[in-house]
Amino acid sequence: MTCPRIEIDLEKIKENTINTVARCKEHGINVVGVTKVFCGFTEIAIALVDGGVNMLADSRMKNIKKLRNIDIPKMLLRIPMLSEIQDVIEYVDISLISKIETAEKISEIAVRKDKIHKVILMIDLGDLREGIFYENENLIFETVEKILKLDGVSLIGIGTNLSCYGGVIPTSVNLGTLIEIKQKIQNKFDVSLDIISGGNSASLSLLQNDNMPKGINHLRLGASLSLGIGLNDAQIEGLYYDAFKVIVEIVEVMEKPSTPVGLIGLDSFGRRPVFKDLGIRKRAICAIGKQDIFPENLIPVDKDIIILGSSSDHLILDITDSHQNYDLGDTISFDVTYGGCLSVMTSEYVEKIFL
Ligand SMILES: *Cc1c(COP(=O)(O)O)cnc(C)c1O
């Protein structure tokens, strides 16, 4: 079979989804299935739908367009570029926004197309990515007031995103603030905000000790459903973390010294490499490289393999301690991190195989 390839176990992803959707339902939480970690491949998106999500979400319009034949509402996770709103109105049901200018542009085009576009206003609770900073209540109220006056736009809720840029951990305190903001908006404007979207897979950690504040009724989940991981990339109990496997082929096995010979300058990625002298070691070179995935994002299934590094097209492993007798032409399997899954799924050089 073609190498390098990524084998995707759709049944495991479906199981993860069934399990997570059921847990969330117990807490009154609706789950949106996030497809960006696997570039919106429809085979996998369908596994999420079969597992019970009632909406699909992605950050990129190119991925959302791939999902257009799956008959379920779509959400755009990244604030739309003003230049893509035409497409957004066409292919997306709900957008996350933070600036009134974005809402105005949505209104203008939605009215022209005789459509009503749903929006969720993002509140930044301290992670410092998108949203109006939570302390700036005047700006929040001002923005809500203006959105409510727009034709073609329906404000259906507020939301937040944590554990992304700033690494801020979701807690009952910061998510509690989101609920307070919702109540203030409802009191001030006599509207009902149906959706209070409490974040991504990291927020699932609050379900564990029943710390999810009452009122959060919506989560946008990608890493947990696909890779079984949540807060701090820790594995979530009861979920498969190995639905994605990268398989690479060995193109050279040789014994060599563990430190290079000669004056050391910069490597192919402009860094000055450092080496530990462990004497002569048995090394394997595999046909995959940084163009496809950075080596720190690969996790060998054979725990006795050490990843030494890679260049654009070559992955170099120390296989001295392995009990397997790897040879030229053999394959080696890896689990992947979130970033690894993202880059391998993006690489056109890695074959996608759906199991
Ligand atoms: C990526 C993203 C998510 C999903 O995050 P996971 O950690 O994969 O669950 C949710 N919301 C927004 C706004 C995102 O950009």
Side-chain angles (χ1 to χ4, degrees), residues 277-294:
D277 191 358
L278 301 169
I280 301 284
R281 304 288 288 178
K282 189 172 169 194
R283 299 148 65 95
I285 297 180
C286 304
I288 194 167
K290 282 183 179 168
Q291 183 164 4
D292 315 293
I293 183 168
F294 275 60

Side-chain angles (χ1 to χ4, degrees), residues 32-37 57-59 75-79 96 122 129-130 160-164 197 199-204 219-227 229-231 233 338:
V32 168
V34 173
T35 56
K36 70 190 190 200
V37 66
D58 205 288
S59 45
M75 173 182 272
L76 181 63
L77 293 172
R78 184 170 64 191
I79 293 168
L96 308 184
M122 292 301 275
R129 212 178 72 180
E130 73 274 46
T160 196
N161 198 58
L162 294 159
S163 321
C164 263
S197 192
N200 54 41
S201 296
S203 294
L204 283 174
L219 290 176
R220 311 172 306 267
L221 304 181
S224 46
L225 307 184
S226 289
L227 296 164
I229 56 174
L231 180 66
D233 293 341
Y338 182 85

Side-chain angles (χ1 to χ4, degrees), residues 14 22 111 122-123 132 171 214 217 228 266 280 288 314 351:
K14 184 176 153 188
V111 166
M122 292 301 275
I123 309 293
I132 304 176
T171 61
K214 256 205 170 21
N217 61 13
L266 300 184
I280 301 284
I288 194 167
H314 300 76
E351 190 83 9

Side-chain angles (χ1 to χ4, degrees), residues 103-122:
E104 286 167 350
K105 185 82 183 169
I106 289 173
S107 164
E108 179 194 319
I109 297 173
V111 166
R112 209 186 301 150
K113 298 202 173 188
D114 204 18
K115 286 193 169 180
I116 306 254
H117 192 77
K118 298 182 182 131
V119 296
I120 290 178
L121 181 64
M122 292 301 275

Side-chain angles (χ1 to χ4, degrees), residues 129-231:
R129 212 178 72 180
E130 73 274 46
I132 304 176
F133 198 60
Y134 71 102
E135 285 181 338
N136 203 345
E137 285 195 347
N138 284 339
L139 182 58
I140 295 173
F141 295 147
E142 234 173 76
T143 308
V144 168
E145 188 172 13
K146 287 180 182 164
I147 293 174
L148 292 175
K149 287 184 182 144
L150 292 173
D151 291 327
V153 175
S154 165
L155 178 67
I156 60 164
I158 59 173
T160 196
N161 198 58
L162 294 159
S163 321
C164 263
Y165 172 70
V168 172
I169 294 173
T171 61
S172 54
V173 176
N174 52 28
L175 288 183
T177 302
L178 188 68
I179 293 163
E180 282 168 25
I181 291 172
K182 172 214 167 179
Q183 272 147 4
K184 285 181 189 169
I185 292 174
Q186 291 197 155
N187 294 342
K188 216 171 156 69
F189 296 103
D190 191 29
V191 282
S192 129
L193 298 176
D194 292 337
I195 294 183
I196 307 300
S197 192
N200 54 41
S201 296
S203 294
L204 283 174
S205 59
L206 290 174
L207 295 183
Q208 248 145 37
N209 311 309
D210 226 357
N211 275 329
M212 183 67 82
K214 256 205 170 21
I216 299 293
N217 61 13
H218 186 271
L219 290 176
R220 311 172 306 267
L221 304 181
S224 46
L225 307 184
S226 289
L227 296 164
I229 56 174
L231 180 66

Side-chain angles (χ1 to χ4, degrees), residues 3-109:
C3 277
R5 63 179 183 270
I6 182 159
E7 293 182 352
I8 302 138
D9 189 327
L10 298 174
E11 202 52 42
K12 284 184 178 171
I13 294 169
K14 184 176 153 188
E15 290 277 320
N16 282 354
T17 309
I18 291 173
N19 180 317
T20 308
V21 166
R23 255 182 92 209
C24 285
K25 202 170 175 192
E26 281 170 26
H27 293 81
I29 293 171
N30 254 311
V31 173
V32 168
V34 173
T35 56
K36 70 190 190 200
V37 66
F38 52 80
C39 300
F41 274 86
T42 50
E43 292 85 343
I44 313 176
I46 288 168
L48 299 185
V49 175
D50 288 347
V53 303
N54 52 19
M55 194 181 295
L56 291 171
D58 205 288
S59 45
R60 295 174 185 246
M61 283 309 301
K62 269 207 170 175
N63 292 346
I64 288 200
K65 285 182 185 175
K66 291 186 203 167
L67 305 171
R68 65 176 170 267
N69 291 327
I70 304 177
D71 191 18
I72 193 173
K74 315 286 171 3
M75 173 182 272
L76 181 63
L77 293 172
R78 184 170 64 191
I79 293 168
M81 295 182 263
L82 293 177
S83 59
E84 67 184 350
I85 288 178
Q86 199 90 15
D87 268 356
V88 171
I89 303 295
E90 184 86 21
Y91 295 99
V92 174
D93 300 278
I94 304 178
S95 296
L96 308 184
I97 62 164
S98 62
K99 298 280 286 181
I100 185 63
E101 288 85 350
T102 312
E104 286 167 350
K105 185 82 183 169
I106 289 173
S107 164
E108 179 194 319
I109 297 173

